[in-house]
Amino acid sequence: MNSSPQASPSGSDRGAASDIAEHARPTTAESIISLRGVRKTYFRGKEPIHVLQDLDLEVPVGGYEALMGPSGSGKSTLLNLIAGLDRPSAGSLLVAGADLGAMSDSQLARWRANTIGFIFQAYNLMPVLTAVENVELPLLLTKLSASERKRRAQTALRIVGLEDRMHHYPRQLSGGQEQRVAIARAIVNDPQVLVADEPTGDLDRQSADEILTLLERMNRELHKTIIMVTHDPAAAERAHITRRLNKGQLI
Amino acid sequence: MIPIAYNLRSLAVRRTTTLASVLGIGLVVFVLAGALMLSAGIKQTLGRSGKSDIAIVLRKGSDAEMASSIESPTLGLILSAPGVKKDASGSPLGIGELLIVATMDKIGVDGVSNVQIRGVPEQVGRFRKGLQIVDGRAAQPGTDEVIIGQRLRGRFKGLDLGQSFDLRKNRPAKVVGVFAYEGSSHESEIWADIDTVRQAFGRAGLFSSVRVQLSSPSQFDAFEAVIEGDKALGLDALREDRYYEKQSEGTSIFVTGLGVVIAVIFSIGAMIGAMITMYASIASRSREIGTLRALGFSRPAIMISFLLEALALALSGGLLGIALSLCLGTVRFSMMNFASWSEIVFSFSPTPGILLSALVFAGLMGLFGGLFPALRATRISPLSAMRD
Ligand SMILES: Nc1ncnc2c1ncn2[C@@H]1O[C@H](COP(=O)(O)OP(=O)(O)O)[C@@H](O)[C@H]1O
Ligand SMILES: [Mg+2]
């Protein structure tokens, strides 16, 4: 089956990110994401749909990888598995030291809260909460005091450049600003991994570029490992590596 | 914990459906609180009529004054029993009265209703110290003049100051005064001279009841022992407060029961309404809920959050219902007292206990109505965060 290329430590060099061959990394690099023989099969009635087939994947700590492929090729399914939103039908799935296949729903929920930052195509902010309240949400799962939560949420908003929009509701923000709030929410808990499913899919070119620059900073300055599903070649360009998925297999 | 602001603001955003549910629950709570307040009002009105240091003597086997008759000569015997308080001049404090029910024409609506007429002796004020003429004057003893309780005023034809009515056919009586009596059920009675009543209703030489003032509440047992000990007299002695309590039991249980039954039936409708509201609002928020799950909120956290939302919805309805029911405080309610088959006017009496139970009832409606929608919410997959 596909044995994925190993990432190089020089991966933060974004100039030549897209060529997999150029970015082969030494096998000694520490993987934060490790998939072995992962399968995902859905059933439509009695008929099985093999969405992912015997997938192997290693992502190094601090990697920034783009996932491309035609619609329906299983990109989101793979991302959901890595993020612990779903469980594999077969194979082993290690992310940030956790064996996700062996964990219960509630264990996965707790693990996600600590380990994964989510960035969605549709931003997924709570429309009735202000920017700072949205960013604070993941901190409500910690033991931090209210004032400490507020402080951290403000810091995260400052990082994405929206400190002055703290008390705005999502509907009072542009799409690009909403996505920046979502990024603030994704990093506020200081997770090791960010997963982004078409983060620029709903944005115009300029906003998309701002978001991509921000993601790049998250990777370079905050050392977040990022897995990003995208259709946009310009977005993939910014990642260290672009992986292509076709019919449930990495090519 | 998902912040409660999330739930409250979500309710506020869904203004119309939220309001509809709040109104539904408010109506139920209004009915329930109203019934409980009325029941308490009945107990209070009738309860105020009785005192523990007054004993009432009735014919043995009569549950109510109305059904009892005691011959005149017995009065002296009763007054000489032990435990009866004496006034400064040494004469025992007691009163024999005759209670009659008459039919009177109502004002405003077609129809008649029963009113109690109490025949009282000349020195009624010596015993009945709570009596207070609030309008007009006291009646002349030995005449057809009567005074009426203030709650009767203006509710029946001829029952107002200066007006006349027929005590019995061709036995006119004139209202010369209106009285208050410590808010008790006496305020729904007509008081006339006892001899006038005896003549008008052919009850010569009879009392319905004899009341005595005990020198202390503890004297009752001694008094009762003597009165009931003489089997030949065939009399029953009761403490007055206990007597009125028994009178009000049936009515107040009926009102409470009716109120609770209606409230429970209505509450099913209101609960289904709240349930539909919650189902719809959860269905339209499946992406939000999926996102919360993705962020790491557990199923129990989702459950609690939506139960709290349903609770907030129901408590708003509860507060509305309570506010409405408090407006009933000014309403007077006349109804049949089953024990006497006559009309007594009650008011709604809000007590902290009633308001609290009404609110608790609303809360329970919210929790039950919200239970299944909240369970549905917990089953929303975190993958819903990804779906369009
Ligand atoms: N819950 C599901 N049940 C059945 N089929 C599913 C489910 N989720 C995804 N699929 C199928 O799996 C395939 C891959 O989906 P997805 O991972 O969303 O693709 P992509 O993100 O690459 O467009 C599609 O054919 C889709 O219909
Ligand atoms: Mg997809």
Side-chain angles (χ1 to χ4, degrees), chain A residues 149-197:
Chain A
R149 291 199 304 260
K150 197 118 229 150
R151 200 185 62 75
R152 291 199 190 185
Q154 283 176 20
T155 305
L157 277 173
R158 188 174 333 120
I159 290 173
V160 301
L162 282 177
E163 210 187 8
D164 55 334
R165 299 297 159 93
M166 212 160 71
H167 299 299
H168 284 53
Y169 286 93
R171 70 183 131 76
Q172 299 167 319
L173 299 172
S174 72
Q177 289 171 329
E178 279 195 74
Q179 193 61 299
R180 277 149 71 190
V181 174
I183 291 172
R185 179 179 67 185
I187 59 164
V188 74
N189 247 357
D190 199 21
Q192 298 174 64
V193 181
L194 296 185
V195 299
D197 197 348

Side-chain angles (χ1 to χ4, degrees), chain B residues 112-172:
Chain B
V112 294
S113 191
N114 289 334
V115 177
Q116 295 189 21
I117 301 171
R118 187 175 292 274
V120 294
E122 193 174 335
Q123 312 88 359
V124 58
R126 197 173 74 95
F127 185 84
R128 294 202 170 270
K129 298 207 170 61
L131 181 70
Q132 207 188 341
I133 302 290
V134 293
D135 205 355
R137 57 172 174 83
Q140 283 289 333
T143 67
D144 286 349
E145 290 182 358
V146 303
I147 54 175
I148 61 170
Q150 58 181 358
R151 297 203 209 185
L152 279 182
R153 196 170 191 175
R155 298 191 50 249
F156 292 90
K157 289 187 183 128
L159 286 196
D160 210 337
L161 196 60
Q163 299 183 351
S164 294
F165 64 97
D166 280 348
L167 212 49
R168 200 96 199 260
K169 233 184 170 73
N170 302 321
R171 283 300 301 249

Side-chain angles (χ1 to χ4, degrees), chain A residues 80 105 109 112 118 124 128 133, chain B residues 9 291 293-294 299 383 385:
Chain A
N80 293 342
D105 273 5
R112 284 195 302 269
F118 286 93
N124 290 23
V128 298
E133 287 168 339
Chain B
R9 289 183 208 158
T291 303
R293 293 279 288 125
R299 284 175 202 271
L383 290 171

Side-chain angles (χ1 to χ4, degrees), chain A residues 79-80 85-86 105 109-110 112-113 118 120-122 124 126-130 133 137-138 140-141 169 185 197, chain B residues 1-3 5-6 9-10 13 287-289 291-299 381-386 388:
Chain A
L79 197 71
N80 293 342
L85 293 175
D86 208 355
D105 273 5
R110 227 170 305 138
R112 284 195 302 269
F118 286 93
F120 305 94
Q121 176 171 0
N124 290 23
M126 304 297 136
V128 298
L129 298 183
T130 62
E133 287 168 339
L137 271 180
L140 295 170
L141 292 160
Y169 286 93
R185 179 179 67 185
D197 197 348
Chain B
M1 274 278 290
I2 296 161
Y6 170 72
R9 289 183 208 158
S10 296
V13 165
R287 186 208 290 276
E288 290 173 35
I289 297 165
T291 303
L292 290 169
R293 293 279 288 125
L295 294 180
F297 286 96
S298 64
R299 284 175 202 271
S381 159
L383 290 171
S384 306
M386 297 293 192
D388 318 296

